[in-house]
Amino acid sequence: MRMSLAHLTVLDASPLELLDAAKAGGFDAAGLRIIPPMPSDRIVEVIGNEPLLRSIIRRMEETGVAIWDIEAVWLTPQTEVSTLLPALEVGQRLGARHLLVVGHDPVFDRMTDNFAALCERCAAFQLKVAFEMMSYVEVKTLRQAKAVFDVVKPTNASLLIDALHFFRSGATLEDLVGIDPALLEYVHLCDGVMVPPPPDELRAEGRGGRLYPGEGEFPLVDLLHALPNGIGLAVEAPNAHLAGLDVFERARRCGDATRRFAANL
C-alpha cells in the first residue's frame, strides 16, 4: 500500500521539511503545494527558485520520498492557463504524477474551457490532472464534477474523492456506482465527525478540523471498499488541535494512525 502525505496535513512545513516529515511518518510520497490556491494564500516559492528546486530533488533522493502531486490550481474567473506553465514544468522536473485542480468558477462554460486547456497542457508535461470537488467551492458535489467530465471528456484526468468533502456534500456510497474505475486513481483520506458544521465553517473544518484515519466517525472502510482496489491513499488530515506539535511528530502520528486503519481493511 502506497501512502502520500498531503501538504495540507502539515502545511507549515517547508518543502524540505515536508519530505523529511513524510519520511518520519513512513510515507512513500508527499503532495507539494507550489501554487497558492488563492492570491491571499502564502506558500514557500518553489517556482523560479532554482537553488531550492535542486535541494528538493536532492532531498527526494536522500529520503526516497517521491512527489505524488503538486497543488493547487483553483479554476476561477481570473484563471489564465498559460500562466501555469512554469508550475507544470516544475512538476515534471520533480516527477510528480498529478496536478490537483479545483473548480471555483460560477460560469460553467468558462470553467470547462479552462479545464480542457489545462488538461491539454498537462499532457505535454506527463502530468495527470486530479479534479477535486470541495464542500465550499463552486464544484462541491460528485454530480457537478461528473458534469465537468461529461463535457470535457479528458483522457488524462481523474476524479479526486476527498473523504471529508464527499460526506459533507451529502453524497452516498451508491453515488460511486457506475463511475469508471479508471477515473479514480487516488483518494484524499481523513476522518471526522458525521454531524457537519454550519456552512460558513466548512472551510475552517477542511483546513484544520479533520482527524486521522480511524479516529473519527466516517465509514472509511465502506468508502474504500466502494472505490477501486489498490487506489492510492493521500492522507489529508490537518488538525488544528495538534498545531503545537512539530511537523515531524504530526506526520508520525498521521502515518501510524493510517497504517493501523489500513490493517483492518
Side-chain angles (χ1 to χ4, degrees), residues 189-191 211-216 220 235 237 254 257-262:
L189 198 63
C190 71
D191 218 326
L211 300 173
Y212 297 146
E215 297 185 351
L220 294 181
V235 186
C254 183
T258 304
R259 281 183 289 275
R260 285 194 300 270
F261 162 77

Side-chain angles (χ1 to χ4, degrees), residues 242-259:
L242 301 178
L245 302 175
D246 65 41
V247 297
F248 312 109
E249 179 59 23
R250 276 179 274 154
R252 279 189 286 267
R253 293 190 183 197
C254 183
D256 289 345
T258 304
R259 281 183 289 275

Side-chain angles (χ1 to χ4, degrees), residues 14-240:
S14 70
L16 299 180
E17 289 173 334
L18 172 68
L19 294 170
D20 289 340
K23 178 69 173 180
F27 291 89
D28 306 288
L32 178 62
R33 180 165 291 194
I34 65 170
I35 307 164
M38 298 297 286
S40 59
D41 291 321
R42 295 291 174 261
I43 64 170
V44 174
E45 295 289 346
V46 176
I47 300 169
N49 188 338
E50 185 62 28
L52 177 57
L53 184 56
R54 289 197 297 267
S55 294
I56 292 171
I57 294 171
R58 185 163 56 248
R59 191 64 58 88
M60 290 169 60
E61 295 170 349
E62 293 168 352
T63 60
V65 174
I67 297 298
W68 180 266
D69 55 13
I70 55 170
E71 56 172 72
V73 172
W74 282 33
L75 298 175
T76 70
Q78 292 74 40
T79 295
E80 295 184 14
V81 171
S82 61
T83 66
L84 298 171
L85 296 184
L88 306 187
E89 182 180 2
V90 168
Q92 183 182 47
R93 287 186 62 183
L94 295 176
R97 299 185 181 190
H98 306 272
L99 170 70
L100 194 155
V101 175
V102 172
H104 195 44
D105 189 336
V107 179
F108 183 80
D109 289 347
R110 180 173 56 206
M111 180 174 60
T112 54
D113 286 347
N114 278 326
F115 182 54
L118 183 56
C119 288
E120 182 178 355
R121 294 285 195 171
C122 281
F125 291 91
Q126 290 76 54
L127 282 168
K128 295 183 177 181
V129 179
F131 191 85
E132 180 180 11
M133 44 281 190
M134 294 170 56
S135 58
Y136 52 88
V137 300
E138 291 292 334
V139 179
K140 56 178 56 69
T141 69
L142 184 58
R143 177 174 295 183
Q144 289 174 305
K146 288 166 63 177
V148 172
F149 275 63
D150 287 343
V151 170
V152 177
K153 296 180 174 56
T155 59
N156 63 327
S158 61
L159 290 167
L160 176 54
I161 303 295
D162 179 294
L164 176 68
H165 298 307
F166 180 82
F167 292 116
R168 291 294 179 255
S169 74
T172 67
L173 300 179
E174 288 73 24
D175 294 328
L176 297 170
V177 175
I179 296 179
D180 184 353
L183 291 179
L184 301 168
E185 296 201 20
Y186 70 109
V187 59
H188 268 170
L189 198 63
C190 71
D191 218 326
V193 297
M194 286 304 295
V195 177
D200 62 351
E201 295 180 14
L202 287 171
R203 185 175 187 272
E205 181 189 41
R207 294 174 62 86
R210 305 181 187 224
L211 300 173
Y212 297 146
E215 297 185 351
E217 301 171 351
F218 291 165
L220 294 181
V221 172
D222 293 338
L223 174 62
L224 289 182
H225 285 169
L227 295 171
N229 186 40
I231 192 169
L233 303 181
V235 186
E236 185 168 81
N239 187 331

